[in-house]
Amino acid sequence: MTTPTRVLVIDDEPAIFRFLKPALEANDYEAVSAGTAAEGLKRIAGDAPDVVVLDLGLPDMDGKDVIARVREWSDVPIIVLSARDREAEKIAALDLGADDFVNKPFGMGELMARLRTALRHRMQRKGETPVVSVGGLEIDIPRRRVTLQGADVSLSPKEFDLLAFLASHAGKVVTHKQILTAVWGAAHENDTQYLRVYVGQLRQKIEPNPSDPRFLLTEPGIGYRLIDAV
């Protein structure tokens, strides 16, 4: 018998869990809850959930501090679910290691899609998927080869490094700082204009219509997201 995927909801509002639990169970998830950061950290360590849905406004600790603590010892996917909609809050949560961010109020369909993406991304990390395919775009990371509808795409070394990093996080929003640090180094973590130039160059080469991108999407004020594998 297959063990159901366990979702831990850390939120101090009981109504949120009452709302989420039936929908999660209808999608074959096992739903468990924690009302405080301390309880949530204990359950992550002891119960090994497959994915965490985390509110930032907890009574005993800021949710961002929870993310930082968890990332010291676990790569469990974390979906932030919060009424805080300021870009700075999203960026901070993502830079600390959250996998995605969903604003309250939210649509259940959107949350379920983000959960599926986070879980799939974790499985891909464990399997070290070497080739990422999104639509007609294929990124072969070990061979450093990119094709679009079967035709080779010529990229500079840095353009490939940028695309490969985004591909390794396909479906997940990645902040400017995360990209710049990974591709250019910590000394360039604030060079967002530099990053925009490279993204523009990439779009000219991989997008059927660069002015209306379908592969490489902008998350305004936060970063970028390469669409998930389809």
Side-chain angles (χ1 to χ4, degrees), residues 154-199:
S154 178
L155 299 179
S156 72
K158 273 301 181 209
E159 287 170 348
F160 179 85
D161 291 344
L162 172 57
L163 184 59
F165 181 74
L166 293 168
S168 69
H169 297 80
K172 174 183 173 180
V173 57
V174 190
T175 67
H176 299 127
K177 180 180 178 181
Q178 288 171 327
I179 299 169
L180 286 160
T181 300
V183 178
W184 283 277
H188 296 277
E189 68 178 35
N190 296 314
D191 293 342
T192 53
Q193 183 56 41
Y194 194 60
L195 177 57
R196 280 192 203 98
V197 170
Y198 269 84
V199 168

Side-chain angles (χ1 to χ4, degrees), residues 44-175:
I44 293 171
D47 297 346
D50 297 289
V51 62
V52 174
V53 176
L54 173 69
D55 181 31
L56 293 183
L58 298 169
D60 55 336
M61 186 186 300
D62 190 281
K64 297 191 298 298
D65 294 326
V66 175
I67 297 168
R69 289 199 184 186
V70 171
R71 285 295 174 254
E72 292 175 359
W73 46 270
S74 174
D75 68 348
V76 63
I78 299 173
I79 308 295
V80 171
L81 184 64
S82 179
R84 301 182 190 175
D85 59 359
R86 290 188 298 119
E87 288 177 1
E89 291 283 346
K90 297 179 183 179
I91 292 168
L94 292 164
D95 279 341
L96 285 166
D99 288 72
D100 217 329
F101 198 111
V102 178
N103 289 327
K104 294 178 181 178
F106 60 92
M108 189 59 71
E110 178 189 8
L111 178 59
M112 292 301 151
R114 300 291 176 88
L115 284 171
R116 289 192 297 270
T117 294
L119 288 163
R120 185 160 55 247
H121 183 238
R122 189 187 196 191
M123 290 176 63
Q124 289 170 345
R125 279 204 310 268
K126 288 183 175 180
E128 295 297 324
T129 304
V131 180
V132 177
S133 298
V134 287
L137 179 68
E138 186 169 282
I139 303 115
D140 187 329
I141 295 174
R143 296 175 62 193
R144 296 183 68 86
R145 184 186 181 202
V146 177
T147 59
L148 181 62
Q149 305 298 342
D152 283 326
V153 178
S154 178
L155 299 179
S156 72
K158 273 301 181 209
E159 287 170 348
F160 179 85
D161 291 344
L162 172 57
L163 184 59
F165 181 74
L166 293 168
S168 69
H169 297 80
K172 174 183 173 180
V173 57
V174 190
T175 67

Side-chain angles (χ1 to χ4, degrees), residues 1-7 24-25 27-31 48-50:
M1 183 172 166
T2 304
T3 303
T5 299
R6 179 176 296 168
V7 180
L24 289 167
E25 291 177 345
N27 283 272
D28 298 322
Y29 295 114
E30 176 188 350
D50 297 289

